[in-house]
Amino acid sequence: MKTLRVPEATVTRLSIYSRYLERLDRNGVTTVSSGEIAEGVGVSPAQVRKDLAYFGEFGTRGVGYNVKDLMRYTKKILGLDHNWPLILVGAGNLGYALCTYKGFNSRGFKIVGVFDNDLTKIGKRINELEVLPMEKMPDVIKEHGVKIGIVATPNRAAQEVATYMVKNGIQAVLNFAPLPLNLPEHIEVRNVDLSVKLEILTFNLGFKSAQNV
Amino acid sequence: MKTLRVPEATVTRLSIYSRYLERLDRNGVTTVSSGEIAEGVGVSPAQVRKDLAYFGEFGTRGVGYNVKDLMRYTKKILGLDHNWPLILVGAGNLGYALCTYKGFNSRGFKIVGVFDNDLTKIGKRINELEVLPMEKMPDVIKEHGVKIGIVATPNRAAQEVATYMVKNGIQAVLNFAPLPLNLPEHIEVRNVDLSVKLEILTFNLGFKSAQNV
DNA sequence: GACTGTGAAGCCATTCACAGCT
DNA sequence: AGCTGTGAATGGCTTCACAGTC
């Protein structure tokens, strides 16, 4: 297996293929071609094959891919062959929504600790979890071997929270605060910015109406 | 002003620059260089200048950019020189979080209608809004001139909801369901996939630990 | 005949490096 | 001297096109 640097765009698409394959599998489909995957997720067939080729040869020429196998391979590649415990900081509405989001569970993510520094929120329950004060974070991280933390706090708290997470052993951060986090090189950080995509839409709408003049 | 095709990556960064400039402005900063913006948002200075160059010449050589002016320009370019009414379908936890998300308001987005087909949710209040049945959507769209719709429903409902939105005049869709929507060419669609970025993190964590062997 | 896997080509985005202003 | 604006160079991702396999 050649392990060149894999483009992040490829990993993103792999995640999408993987979920599409799960859907096919649930629907009882056993074999699929790169063209069908492409059609299903909105990319080109060559793109699908090229993406998969970074990781090996999974198909059969003249036939296509075995859905169940390819689903397992893609999950394995993404590191989803086991469960991932997560912690989340920020028990506001967004934090609550993320805790109850089914899409995480179905991919093997499980939030095992929710934290806040707001006394009115500490002690509340979200599903079977109790919102804990920040001081309890180190224990929860150790107990479950948590590597990934989610930041769902107001902007002003985000940096401090992320720093605290890292100090206690968190290795990767998913940040919902729309500002860049300043963390050590070796920490993996990805941002989910809820309004950027809206602004792409408004940009494109504006551009279109300009063309109609 | 040359209006070549603008890369989507440039629009994404423009949105980020724009918010960073708002922050600088609030902090009383009046002038900023491409290097400082770059530092603040985590890209290269040349990238910042190149991105801005798609839209005009906003700086002064030897000096930099006027923060307030550049902030206004970027907002204008993104179409944020006026407010945008939005509708949202899906009054679950995610929908609730989005309705109460401050980051939208501060950029001129305002949710003016929330819809659901679940009778237990219809009539509930989210802030000053009442959750309405789907049939009310056409009126709300017309009344407020809504162009953008947010899909925050369970997966199984997403396609139908999006189609219904478009049939009633919606021109752009922000989709939180992790599946591709099938809509007419001329409709702008962007997806926010909450678990893809988590899977990029798990991929990278797995890759790192593999290197330690 | 159908479909994968892949080198080569094409294309697009980013970075470089410097001319042009202030 | 300092910083922008930009053509040229680079680098990287995507598409093409076809050999290889079933």
Side-chain angles (χ1 to χ4, degrees):
Chain A
M1 180 167 77
K2 278 180 282 185
T3 312
L4 307 161
R5 222 186 67 66
V6 180
E8 181 143 326
T10 290
V11 181
T12 300
R13 286 188 297 264
L14 206 68
S15 166
I16 293 168
Y17 303 156
S18 181
R19 245 182 336 209
Y20 182 65
L21 290 163
E22 282 193 329
R23 230 166 84 209
L24 292 180
D25 184 45
R26 269 201 308 279
N27 295 344
V29 180
T30 57
T31 305
V32 69
S33 69
S34 61
E36 289 164 329
I37 297 174
E39 169 75 20
V41 305
V43 301
S44 73
Q47 183 78 82
V48 173
R49 296 199 297 276
K50 201 57 152 194
D51 285 337
L52 295 174
Y54 278 99
F55 305 101
E57 306 190 4
F58 306 110
T60 309
R61 295 171 193 222
V63 179
Y65 304 88
N66 178 288
V67 170
K68 229 181 245 305
D69 288 348
L70 189 57
M71 181 188 76
R72 288 205 193 104
Y73 284 130
T74 52
K75 291 190 78 166
K76 178 92 187 287
I77 292 163
L78 291 165
L80 303 178
D81 50 345
H82 61 87
N83 284 357
W84 289 86
L86 310 175
I87 57 166
L88 182 148
V89 179
N93 293 328
L94 180 59
Y96 189 84
L98 294 173
C99 283
T100 56
Y101 182 61
K102 301 288 198 314
F104 289 161
N105 294 300
S106 70
R107 299 291 282 172
F109 296 108
K110 184 165 188 210
I111 295 176
V112 298
V114 185
F115 305 91
D116 208 303
N117 65 1
D118 181 342
L119 292 174
T120 67
K121 284 176 187 147
I122 293 168
K124 277 194 179 172
R125 295 205 151 262
I126 301 180
N127 290 349
E128 77 283 11
L129 285 175
E130 185 185 337
V131 178
L132 302 173
M134 299 291 283
E135 308 89 73
K136 294 279 176 67
M137 191 192 292
D139 288 344
V140 173
I141 290 175
K142 266 172 228 141
E143 187 191 336
H144 292 89
V146 183
K147 292 183 178 166
I148 303 177
I150 301 179
V151 175
T153 66
N155 291 355
R156 63 181 180 284
Q159 179 63 58
E160 192 187 344
V161 161
T163 303
Y164 184 72
M165 281 179 170
V166 169
K167 203 175 69 181
N168 287 291
I170 288 297
Q171 294 168 27
V173 175
L174 187 66
N175 172 39
F176 283 84
L179 47 78
L181 295 179
N182 214 326
L183 294 173
E185 249 340 275
H186 65 282
I187 303 296
E188 291 288 333
V189 182
R190 290 299 179 283
N191 300 297
V192 176
D193 191 315
L194 297 174
S195 74
V196 161
K197 299 254 175 145
L198 264 180
E199 299 187 9
I200 292 172
L201 293 178
T202 58
F203 173 83
N204 287 336
L205 287 178
F207 194 73
K208 275 187 183 173
S209 55
Q211 283 179 321
N212 293 340
V213 175
Chain B
M1 180 167 76
K2 278 180 280 187
T3 311
L4 308 161
R5 221 185 67 67
V6 180
E8 180 144 328
T10 290
V11 181
T12 300
R13 285 188 298 264
L14 206 68
S15 166
I16 293 166
Y17 303 156
S18 181
R19 247 183 334 210
Y20 182 67
L21 290 163
E22 281 193 330
R23 231 167 83 208
L24 291 180
D25 184 46
R26 270 201 308 278
N27 294 345
V29 180
T30 57
T31 304
V32 70
S33 69
S34 60
E36 289 164 329
I37 297 174
E39 170 74 20
V41 305
V43 302
S44 74
Q47 184 79 80
V48 173
R49 296 199 298 276
K50 199 59 150 191
D51 285 337
L52 294 174
Y54 278 99
F55 305 101
E57 306 190 5
F58 306 111
T60 309
R61 295 173 192 221
V63 179
Y65 304 88
N66 177 289
V67 170
K68 228 181 246 307
D69 289 347
L70 189 56
M71 181 188 77
R72 287 204 193 105
Y73 284 129
T74 52
K75 291 189 78 165
K76 177 92 187 287
I77 292 163
L78 291 165
L80 303 178
D81 49 347
H82 60 86
N83 284 358
W84 289 87
L86 309 176
I87 56 167
L88 181 147
V89 178
N93 293 328
L94 180 58
Y96 189 85
L98 294 172
C99 284
T100 56
Y101 182 63
K102 300 287 199 313
F104 289 161
N105 294 300
S106 70
R107 298 292 280 173
F109 297 107
K110 183 166 187 209
I111 295 176
V112 298
V114 185
F115 304 91
D116 208 303
N117 65 0
D118 180 342
L119 293 174
T120 66
K121 284 174 187 150
I122 292 169
K124 277 192 180 173
R125 296 205 150 262
I126 301 181
N127 291 348
E128 77 283 10
L129 285 175
E130 185 185 336
V131 178
L132 300 173
M134 298 291 283
E135 308 88 74
K136 294 279 175 68
M137 191 192 292
D139 288 346
V140 173
I141 290 176
K142 266 172 228 143
E143 188 190 335
H144 293 88
V146 182
K147 292 183 177 165
I148 303 177
I150 302 179
V151 175
T153 65
N155 291 356
R156 63 180 179 284
Q159 179 64 58
E160 192 187 345
V161 162
T163 304
Y164 184 71
M165 282 179 169
V166 169
K167 203 175 70 180
N168 286 291
I170 289 297
Q171 294 168 28
V173 175
L174 187 66
N175 173 38
F176 284 84
L179 48 79
L181 295 179
N182 213 326
L183 294 172
E185 256 331 281
H186 65 282
I187 303 295
E188 291 288 333
V189 182
R190 290 298 179 282
N191 301 295
V192 177
D193 192 314
L194 297 174
S195 74
V196 161
K197 300 254 176 144
L198 264 181
E199 298 187 10
I200 292 173
L201 293 178
T202 57
F203 174 82
N204 286 336
L205 288 178
F207 194 73
K208 275 185 181 172
S209 54
Q211 284 178 321
N212 294 339
V213 175

